Amino acid sequence: MSYKRKDLLGTIDLSTDEILYFLDAAKEFKNLNLQDIKKVDYLRGKTTINAFYENSTRTRTSFEIAAKRLGADTINFSSSNSSVNKGETLIDTMNNMAAMKSDIIVLRHPSSGAAKLASKHTDASIVNAGDGMNEHPSQALLDLFTLREFGKSLDSNTTVAIVGDIARSRVARSDAWAMNTLGMNVKIFAPTMMMPKNAEVFNAHICKNMEEACEGSDVIIMLRIQLERGDGDVSFPSSREYSKFFGLNKKRIALANKNAIVLHPGPINRGVELNSDVADGEHSVILNQVESGVAMRMAILNTLIKNRG
């Protein structure tokens, strides 16, 4: 099993072997991190740039820590105080970064397809850290890694419910496509205004309510309401009403299978999509996701550097 590509742009075209390769590689780095080994020299002499055109805490920080633990020189780029404000295009920015002998550019951008476009115009390896409402592959790989760590089989014996702002969620797309490739059972549920018109692309069972989404599920992935996408109008009367009809609470989690786990890509809107008694409860593995995020990103960066020779 291996991954031989120059970039990591999405999960939609990943094979089962490629997905499992990343999960196995991340396990090795997780074991390394658990030994409290803070730094190795796998990427010594290499340069990674975190080019984030949108705000981020978990993804950007975990990529930065991952690169530093691998021994790379790491630069954080923010569009808000760069030449982007002077009108510089994405392609010109990427080319300038590559001209400085950068090896990997971790790119987050508000436009869908930005990572793929960048990959075609630069010799540096591109990691898609989220492009518009398209994909977020490292998060999907991290979610699958978390499932496996908590004993969930990555096949038809596991049922996953993805709930929330499906239409705007790149995590939902990357998760569903990777899980489809592995043959897992996927359910989705969202308020009508947050369900995409082309929901069939998820190849998932569309639930009618929260109870149906939770019932019999082994994994529940709750999504944040993404007010920053689109025009900011999510067309629901109040956060309280959203929580009432679409939030996850103790009563609803009780409908899931006994050892069900709850994931969330963060940040959590407590009391909206997720009650605190669930977010901090026995079913939650959200902080485990964050911890494992560094190992998964180490696996991604190390793999792409090896592919570059």
Side-chain angles (χ1 to χ4, degrees):
M1 295 186 292
S2 61
Y3 183 87
K4 300 297 185 183
R5 309 189 200 195
K6 165 182 166 285
D7 314 290
L8 177 62
L9 303 179
T11 66
I12 191 169
D13 62 346
L14 292 185
S15 68
T16 296
D17 281 352
E18 287 175 321
I19 293 170
L20 295 179
Y21 165 81
F22 278 118
L23 302 189
D24 291 340
K27 180 63 176 177
E28 293 182 15
F29 285 113
K30 181 71 177 284
N31 290 337
L32 194 69
N33 291 338
L34 290 174
Q35 295 173 38
D36 205 29
I37 298 173
K38 295 298 185 183
K39 198 164 187 177
V40 293
D41 63 355
Y42 296 178
L43 267 62
R44 183 166 58 89
K46 306 300 181 181
T47 300
T48 67
I49 297 181
N50 294 325
F52 278 62
Y53 288 70
E54 292 182 324
N55 295 331
S56 173
T57 300
R58 277 152 294 276
T59 302
R60 189 190 68 185
T61 303
S62 63
F63 268 114
E64 181 180 0
I65 293 174
K68 288 181 176 178
R69 287 190 180 174
L70 289 167
D73 296 314
T74 307
I75 294 94
N76 286 321
F77 163 90
S78 174
S79 62
S80 61
N81 53 11
S82 73
S83 293
V84 171
N85 286 335
K86 300 177 182 179
E88 185 172 73
T89 67
L90 172 65
I91 299 305
D92 285 337
T93 300
M94 295 297 104
N95 284 336
N96 277 289
M97 290 181 179
M100 298 177 196
K101 304 303 179 184
S102 303
D103 298 286
I104 297 178
I105 300 172
V106 181
L107 177 63
R108 171 167 289 188
H109 199 278
S111 298
S112 299
K116 185 175 182 179
L117 178 66
S119 72
K120 292 180 177 179
H121 290 272
T122 177
D123 291 332
S125 294
I126 299 294
V127 179
N128 183 4
D131 62 330
M133 294 185 286
N134 183 35
E135 283 223 48
H136 192 350
S138 69
Q139 182 65 47
L141 292 169
L142 168 57
D143 290 349
L144 291 170
F145 180 81
T146 305
L147 264 61
R148 195 160 75 166
E149 276 212 310
F150 282 85
K152 308 304 177 186
S153 61
L154 303 183
D155 55 28
S156 60
N157 293 312
T158 297
T159 297
V160 180
I162 304 175
V163 178
D165 195 351
I166 301 289
R168 296 174 173 87
S169 177
R170 51 200 175 204
V171 173
R173 286 168 177 77
S174 288
D175 270 339
W177 288 330
M179 291 171 184
N180 283 330
T181 296
L182 295 170
M184 302 171 70
N185 299 313
V186 181
K187 302 189 286 186
I188 58 174
F189 174 63
T192 302
M193 70 292 269
M194 295 182 187
M195 182 67 75
K197 294 179 180 179
N198 62 337
E200 65 275 2
V201 301
F202 288 87
N203 193 27
H205 173 72
I206 301 174
C207 299
K208 297 181 178 63
N209 51 48
M210 273 297 291
E211 286 68 28
E212 183 183 1
C214 294
E215 189 172 5
S217 293
D218 302 291
V219 181
I220 302 175
I221 300 176
M222 298 300 297
L223 303 172
R224 179 176 61 89
I225 302 168
Q226 302 197 42
L227 297 173
E228 73 277 13
R229 303 208 184 283
D231 57 10
D233 178 17
V234 293
S235 305
F236 65 91
S238 69
S239 296
R240 179 176 295 181
E241 185 162 340
Y242 186 93
S243 178
K244 178 180 178 180
F245 292 103
F246 311 108
L248 185 62
N249 53 37
K250 276 193 170 182
K251 183 178 180 181
R252 285 171 174 153
I253 193 67
L255 298 172
N257 287 341
K258 182 180 178 181
N259 296 317
I261 58 175
V262 176
L263 286 72
H264 193 299
I268 300 170
N269 292 311
R270 287 177 179 264
V272 183
E273 72 262 11
L274 203 61
N275 282 8
S276 288
D277 57 3
V278 176
D280 303 323
E282 60 180 338
H283 296 281
S284 174
V285 297
I286 295 170
L287 289 180
N288 300 86
Q289 281 180 278
V290 176
E291 179 186 0
S292 298
V294 174
M296 178 52 71
R297 272 94 192 203
M298 288 174 76
I300 292 168
L301 296 177
N302 188 59
T303 297
L304 295 185
I305 286 294
K306 287 195 296 185
N307 290 353
R308 296 177 64 81

